[in-house]
Amino acid sequence: MDTHLILVIVVATALAFDFTNGFHDTANVVATSISTGAIAPKAAVAFAAILNFVGAFISIEVAATIASDVVDPSAIAGPEALNIVFAGLMGAIAWNLVTWYYGLPSSSSHALIGGIVGATIAAVGTGAVEAEGLVGKVLLPAIIAPILAFAVAALAITISYRIAGRQRPGPVARGYRLGQVVSGGLLALAHGTNDAQKTMGVITLALIADGALAPGSDPPFWVIVSAATAIALGTYSGGWRIIKTTGFRIIKMDPAQGFSAQGAGAAVIMASSHFGFPLSTTHVINGGVMGSGIAKRLSAVRWGVAGNIVTAWLVTLPAAAAIGALVYGLTLLFGGGTLGPVVISVASILALTVLFGLNRRAGTATATG
Amino acid sequence: MTPILAVIVDIQELAYTVLASIVAATAVTIAVSLAIRGTARYVDHSQNGRVALAYGSLALAGICVLAALAMLGFGLYVMISD
């Protein structure tokens, strides 16, 4: 009975993470299109939400491998496994909300990996962490992704300006805006495929740990549908604070730059997925935006904003790990059983309700004041 | 002796990713930009009464749109087949 209750809480927390993932990463897909007026904001998030939902059904190849490259799955097996996964998810959700509040486009995948690593270290020590996997699959790609997208977007915008830069502005702007809608659609599909699978993987691992599924099973259909729905609803909710940062605050973007950033982003994400070298959508898109700005002139990029974003990327893994470890420690305070996750979940829901209420009241006061 | 970086990162996967990203982004950008240029030139030539040049530009735009759509289809195929 106890483990079943924890399982229900872990599944609900995983879906809550999936929602924040969609909510947080909406900007990756729609920010540049909204910024250049390629598509209206509400239509953009609806379009992205639908394609995120569809994307989640495209593949389940990597659904069962999340976090297994960075922590030793056998070391976190047993009755403690669900508490570790719960603590890791809470770390990721908390960091996603903090970075959303400050409008910082950080990687949801890194937050999830950080949370799980932190909770694992708190539970069984550093021996369960696969240092080689952490460096090879997380840290180095985090450095490579923005640099590659930056270079590819800079090349793309240079080509765009050379070929179409001296033509009539009207047809040129309309053409690149149309290109942005298409490349944004591809990004949304890729995002749904990659990111919804992480939640499917976490829920599947929890079901296996609970004995509800045999080891090595694929995600059940209800898991695929619920993960797809959660990420689509999160995307539709729209993380407007991050959309403003990516779309408006890094550079002042024209349609050719928007197309170059998104086209380069789509090319890099799809190439990396195909060749099995996973890169963060967030890092790729923001690197692409900076690259499409710098090709115009160095001062076109607001380096202060770019610096804040890069700092957030550096801090994401340790911060989510620290929160994951703290939450795991809190579950131990309640005896390490079901009570801890129940109390922490209820307290988190209450805290979030109060914070969102205060945020809305502050917004209303600003609007009327 | 194998460098430590080559052990941690699959250099071949990384090289393919970099190369494919550059080739795909460059090809799509050239196709879309030429399509846009062709469309803009079609408008200009039409207004100046240069019918042959106008239709030539339109044909270039059409071919480039088809090429861009083919690349998009290939991208979708790669995504789904993975």
Side-chain angles (χ1 to χ4, degrees):
Chain A
M1 178 67 189
D2 264 6
T3 52
H4 290 318
L5 184 54
I6 295 187
L7 178 66
V8 171
I9 293 171
V10 167
V11 170
T13 312
L15 292 175
F17 166 74
D18 204 20
F19 180 89
T20 65
N21 190 346
F23 178 74
H24 198 273
D25 292 3
T26 312
N28 295 340
V29 179
V30 303
T32 55
S33 301
I34 292 173
S35 167
T36 61
I39 188 164
K42 286 195 174 174
V45 292
F47 178 58
I50 291 167
L51 290 174
N52 263 288
F53 184 83
V54 173
F57 289 87
I58 287 179
S59 168
I60 54 163
E61 279 295 308
V62 297
T65 62
I66 180 65
S68 62
D69 286 329
V70 290
V71 293
D72 178 7
S74 63
I76 58 165
E80 282 300 296
L82 291 179
N83 275 358
I84 293 172
V85 173
F86 169 77
L89 285 166
M90 290 301 289
I93 292 172
W95 186 247
N96 267 355
L97 291 175
V98 167
T99 48
W100 161 77
Y101 185 80
Y102 288 104
L104 292 168
S106 62
S107 168
S108 298
S109 312
H110 284 197
L112 179 61
I113 290 167
I116 300 261
V117 166
T120 304
I121 291 173
V124 293
T126 52
V129 178
E130 308 273 10
E132 201 173 281
L134 193 61
V135 174
K137 299 279 182 183
V138 182
L139 299 180
L140 283 176
I143 296 167
I144 292 164
I147 295 172
L148 177 59
F150 183 96
V152 174
L155 178 67
I157 188 63
T158 306
I159 292 169
S160 300
Y161 283 155
R162 276 283 168 95
I163 295 176
R166 292 187 182 176
Q167 305 303 315
R168 279 169 183 263
V172 170
R174 278 195 296 277
Y176 282 122
R177 284 188 187 120
L178 186 63
Q180 272 192 280
V181 173
V182 176
S183 56
L186 266 184
L187 274 176
L189 263 182
H191 184 256
T193 307
N194 291 330
D195 284 30
Q197 285 194 57
K198 290 167 199 153
T199 303
M200 291 177 207
V202 169
I203 296 175
T204 306
L205 286 179
L207 291 168
I208 291 170
D210 186 58
L213 278 181
S217 299
D218 280 340
F221 186 66
W222 69 266
V223 172
I224 299 172
V225 172
S226 53
T229 307
I231 200 166
L233 286 174
T235 304
Y236 186 67
S237 302
W240 298 107
R241 288 168 186 263
I242 302 176
I243 289 172
K244 278 181 192 161
T245 303
T246 302
F248 297 91
R249 293 183 60 212
I250 301 173
I251 63 167
K252 191 179 182 304
M253 216 176 304
D254 65 35
Q257 286 173 307
F259 170 76
S260 299
Q262 269 187 330
V268 171
I269 293 287
M270 290 169 80
S272 67
S273 300
H274 183 62
F275 291 111
F277 194 78
L279 301 178
S280 159
T281 319
T282 307
H283 294 175
V284 167
I285 288 299
N286 286 279
V289 169
M290 291 175 208
S292 68
I294 202 172
K296 212 169 190 178
R297 61 180 191 282
L298 199 66
S299 62
V301 178
R302 294 188 183 106
W303 293 107
V305 177
N308 288 342
I309 292 170
V310 173
T311 305
W313 292 349
L314 294 174
V315 175
T316 291
L317 209 65
I323 301 169
L326 181 70
V327 172
Y328 183 78
L330 286 175
T331 64
L332 292 184
L333 282 181
F334 292 97
T338 313
L339 186 61
V342 170
V343 171
I344 292 165
S345 301
V346 171
S348 303
I349 291 167
L350 287 175
L352 280 176
T353 308
V354 170
L355 282 174
F356 274 110
L358 288 174
N359 191 39
R360 281 191 72 172
R361 279 177 66 180
T364 312
T366 310
T368 54
Chain B
M1 194 168 80
T2 314
I4 291 172
L5 191 66
V7 176
I8 295 174
V9 179
D10 188 328
I11 297 292
Q12 195 179 19
E13 280 175 3
L14 175 60
Y16 281 141
T17 300
V18 171
L19 192 65
S21 303
I22 292 170
V23 170
T26 304
V28 171
T29 304
I30 289 172
V32 170
S33 298
L34 281 175
I36 291 168
R37 183 190 171 102
T39 309
R41 299 298 288 165
Y42 166 74
V43 174
D44 284 345
H45 291 314
S46 298
Q47 286 177 350
N48 294 330
R50 297 178 194 144
V51 179
L53 281 173
Y55 282 110
S57 300
L58 193 62
L60 172 71
I63 290 166
C64 290
V65 166
L66 288 177
L69 286 174
M71 290 177 217
L72 175 71
F74 179 71
L76 280 171
Y77 169 76
V78 167
M79 199 193 290
I80 291 166
S81 63
D82 279 347

